Amino acid sequence: MATRLQPRPFGPAGSESAVALATGWAASAEGPWRPGPLQDETLGVASVPSQWRGVQGVRGETKSCQTASVATAEAGTQARKRADAQVQTEAPALPVPPAPRPDAPGLLAFLHRVEPVVTRELSRNWRSHAFDGFEVTWTEPQQTVTCLHTLGYPLAQVQGLHVTSVSWNATGSVLACAYGRLDDGDWSTLRSYVCAWNLDRRGLHPQQPWAVVEVPSATMCLAFHPTQPSQVAGGLYSGEVLLWDLSRPEDPLLWRTGLTDDSHTDPVYQVAWLPEAGHSHCFRLLSVAPDGKVLLWQAGGMGSLQLREGFALVMQQLPRSARLKKPPRGETEVGATAVALSSFDPSLFILGTEGGFPLKCSLASEVVAQVRTPSSVPLRAPARFTFSPHSGPIYSVSCSPFHRNLFVSAGTDGHVHLYSMLQAQPLASLRLSHQYLFAVRWSPVRPLVFAAASGEGDVQLFDLQRSSQKPTVSVTQTQDGSPVYCLEFNSQQPQLLAAGDAKGTVKVWRLSSAFMEQGPREIEDLDCLAAEVAT
């Protein structure tokens, strides 16, 4: 809505004009220039287009510039002189005058003359046995037994722990030891360690093991896997059997038996790897303990070792022997303290017992053991033959790797007995110490050599080819006469022998060449030794 006013010329300024404006020009005088009353009138919408955008667009300008032209020039040069040169590294070979030809008829006559003599000597050497068993040694001969390394873990030594077991891995470069105690002590709360050193690694530090595993109970024995260099099994004082992988420092534990009805109720004194029948790459873990059980374990699910086969030693089921004492009333279990596997028969093994008598046992036995011990598998009686006993418990047994019927045993009576599996009486009995003998091992390269660890602090090496009555070499392991509890030959590096003692120290001995080089007819001498007594 808009209101339109009639135009009116302005008069002179004054009060009249003001009055007229105030009264809306409502004068009574009539005239064409005087407006009448105000009226409403509707008009259209008016729009005014903006001219600003157009003006701003017109103001835009376009400009350009050009740099000054760049001057360029080309130039060339030419050397004024040129020369060629050649060098020769070797002087040309001078022609060699031809050698004078020998007198062909004279040489032919000489060869005809000596031919019978040379042929006869060659035939004689071909039939000779003078060099049977001889192997060429390309290294410098070692004349004496020397200490190569002295290893130890200070944290275990401060606690007064003993080295209870040593073991070499499959490559022969890593040596592991178990720490525990073999004398009186509070074993129930004792923590121990498993330590390993890589002897081939640069910068070997004797007091800093390459791997350290903390164990919640005293570790009594160790055994490296035959083909997996980083895996090692151990038996504990609590009765458990564990398997570690030393290549996993953050979490080395692979499997364990746990404390169940199947596990041992006494300390595990020895573990050994047994090849699976028909599968050379598969192995089972065998454990023995004084509770009278021999158990075979295999890896199961959830990191547990499961019992696969079990055997129990019962006094009433042992083969009779006139030398065995009658067991006390109510005593039925026969405690096992050591085990040795046969290199020729995978089902055959030798057990050392607390009663001092060795037992020949078989994994193929089907005789049910007369025990009431709870077990997830039926327990069988493995004993097949009983040998004449020592005067005390047996601590160690070892089967010969060169003869299927020979083995040695050592015990608390200080004697080493050499047995044939064909008769009960020992072939030889050697008094080595007035103290206990804790370990004995047959050499892996010499058929007539074995080593023993004594309670008087020394390691004794026997060569039956030289003497059957006294040790060939005796080396001092501990200066104060502390016992040597364990020893082990290195099958991959036969010049090395490791031994652990009550001071918490492991010494690696380098053997002399005499203990590494097999003599002529040594195998025949071993066969004669076994045959003479077995008849």
Side-chain angles (χ1 to χ4, degrees), residues 406-463:
L406 296 180
F407 71 94
V408 290
S409 62
T412 59
D413 58 358
H415 285 76
V416 168
H417 286 184
L418 174 62
Y419 288 97
S420 169
M421 296 187 189
L422 303 179
Q423 66 176 25
Q425 298 297 324
L427 307 182
S429 180
L430 309 175
R431 179 65 179 267
L432 303 186
S433 174
H434 295 286
Q435 302 291 332
Y436 292 178
L437 291 179
F438 290 97
V440 63
R441 289 292 182 269
W442 212 296
S443 169
V445 294
R446 285 287 312 277
L448 292 173
V449 169
F450 62 88
S454 79
E456 297 176 333
D458 53 8
V459 176
Q460 300 184 9
L461 294 165
F462 265 86
D463 187 348

Side-chain angles (χ1 to χ4, degrees), residues 8-135:
R8 175 184 180 278
F10 291 96
S15 59
E16 295 183 358
S17 300
V19 172
L21 180 62
T23 58
W25 304 96
S28 60
E30 299 291 339
W33 53 274
R34 296 184 179 275
L38 297 175
Q39 297 179 354
D40 295 333
E41 185 174 353
T42 302
L43 299 176
V45 178
S47 62
V48 179
S50 173
Q51 298 297 325
W52 181 83
R53 295 183 183 275
V55 173
Q56 293 297 324
V58 172
R59 291 179 182 177
E61 297 181 3
T62 301
K63 295 182 179 180
S64 62
C65 62
Q66 175 64 41
T67 61
S69 58
V70 179
T72 61
E74 295 182 359
T77 59
Q78 176 64 41
R80 300 180 61 183
K81 295 181 179 181
R82 183 177 62 183
D84 295 334
Q86 295 181 350
V87 295
Q88 178 65 38
T89 57
E90 296 181 359
L94 299 177
V96 179
R101 298 184 61 183
D103 184 10
L107 177 61
L108 183 60
F110 169 76
L111 294 177
H112 281 301
R113 188 169 60 255
V114 301
E115 178 185 6
V117 179
V118 174
T119 304
R120 184 173 63 253
E121 293 301 323
L122 291 176
S123 299
R124 180 182 301 175
N125 292 338
W126 179 72
R127 293 190 299 268
S128 173
H129 297 281
F131 295 96
D132 287 355
F134 176 76
E135 295 183 2

Side-chain angles (χ1 to χ4, degrees), residues 13 32 43 63 119 147 210 213 216 240 305 343 375 387 431 475 482 487-488 492 507 509 512 523:
L43 299 176
K63 295 182 179 180
T119 304
C147 182
W210 160 65
V213 179
E240 281 192 275
L305 288 173
S343 302
S375 177
F387 300 91
R431 179 65 179 267
V475 293
S482 299
L487 56 80
E488 202 72 42
Q492 300 299 319
K507 289 191 175 181
W509 298 95
S512 62
I523 293 291

Side-chain angles (χ1 to χ4, degrees), residues 145-464:
V145 178
T146 58
C147 182
L148 195 61
H149 301 287
T150 300
L151 312 174
Y153 186 45
L155 186 58
Q157 293 172 318
V158 168
Q159 300 178 29
L161 298 182
H162 306 158
V163 177
T164 56
S165 181
V166 291
S167 180
W168 296 94
N169 76 338
T171 63
S173 60
V174 176
L175 174 64
C177 78
Y179 280 99
R181 292 194 71 90
L182 291 181
D183 58 0
D184 296 334
D186 187 6
W187 289 352
S188 60
T189 59
L190 181 67
R191 298 179 64 87
S192 64
Y193 308 90
V194 173
C195 301
W197 291 264
N198 189 336
L199 303 186
D200 290 345
R201 177 173 293 182
R202 289 186 177 181
L204 171 68
H205 197 297
Q207 303 301 312
Q208 294 181 0
W210 160 65
V212 177
V213 179
E214 294 188 5
V215 187
S217 178
T219 308
M220 309 302 292
C221 54
L222 284 181
F224 264 107
H225 194 282
T227 59
Q228 301 296 327
S230 63
Q231 295 183 10
V232 61
L236 307 187
Y237 176 79
S238 63
E240 281 192 275
V241 177
L242 285 74
L243 180 64
W244 300 282
D245 188 345
L246 300 182
S247 65
R248 308 191 324 181
E250 300 298 330
D251 184 20
L253 183 61
L254 292 179
W255 294 290
R256 66 188 308 170
T257 59
L259 296 177
T260 65
D261 290 340
D262 287 337
S263 59
H264 291 284
T265 56
D266 283 334
V268 179
Y269 277 172
Q270 194 167 350
V271 292
W273 292 94
L274 188 68
E276 189 84 39
H279 302 279
S280 59
H281 62 284
C282 297
F283 293 86
R284 296 171 291 175
L285 190 58
L286 183 144
S287 61
V288 299
D291 59 0
K293 292 191 293 186
V294 179
L295 305 178
L296 278 172
W297 306 91
Q298 67 177 2
M302 303 298 293
S304 64
L305 288 173
Q306 296 180 350
L307 184 62
R308 179 171 178 178
E309 296 182 61
F311 303 88
L313 301 173
V314 182
M315 182 65 72
Q316 288 76 6
Q317 292 183 288
L318 295 182
R320 293 186 178 182
S321 173
R323 298 290 301 277
L324 293 182
K325 298 179 180 180
K326 184 178 180 180
R329 180 176 299 180
E331 182 179 344
T332 59
E333 296 177 352
V334 177
T337 55
V339 64
L341 306 178
S342 171
S343 302
F344 299 88
D345 187 350
S347 66
L348 181 66
F349 61 97
I350 300 295
L351 286 179
T353 64
E354 289 182 327
F357 49 88
L359 292 174
K360 181 170 70 172
C361 302
S362 174
L363 297 174
S365 174
E366 299 294 338
V367 180
V368 178
Q370 298 174 3
V371 293
R372 298 180 181 179
T373 305
S375 177
S376 62
V377 300
L379 299 180
R380 307 195 300 271
R384 286 291 174 264
F385 192 78
T386 306
F387 300 91
S388 296
H390 287 254
S391 300
I394 294 175
Y395 275 161
S396 182
V397 289
S398 180
C399 289
S400 170
F402 301 97
H403 199 288
R404 65 182 305 113
N405 292 327
L406 296 180
F407 71 94
V408 290
S409 62
T412 59
D413 58 358
H415 285 76
V416 168
H417 286 184
L418 174 62
Y419 288 97
S420 169
M421 296 187 189
L422 303 179
Q423 66 176 25
Q425 298 297 324
L427 307 182
S429 180
L430 309 175
R431 179 65 179 267
L432 303 186
S433 174
H434 295 286
Q435 302 291 332
Y436 292 178
L437 291 179
F438 290 97
V440 63
R441 289 292 182 269
W442 212 296
S443 169
V445 294
R446 285 287 312 277
L448 292 173
V449 169
F450 62 88
S454 79
E456 297 176 333
D458 53 8
V459 176
Q460 300 184 9
L461 294 165
F462 265 86
D463 187 348
L464 298 179

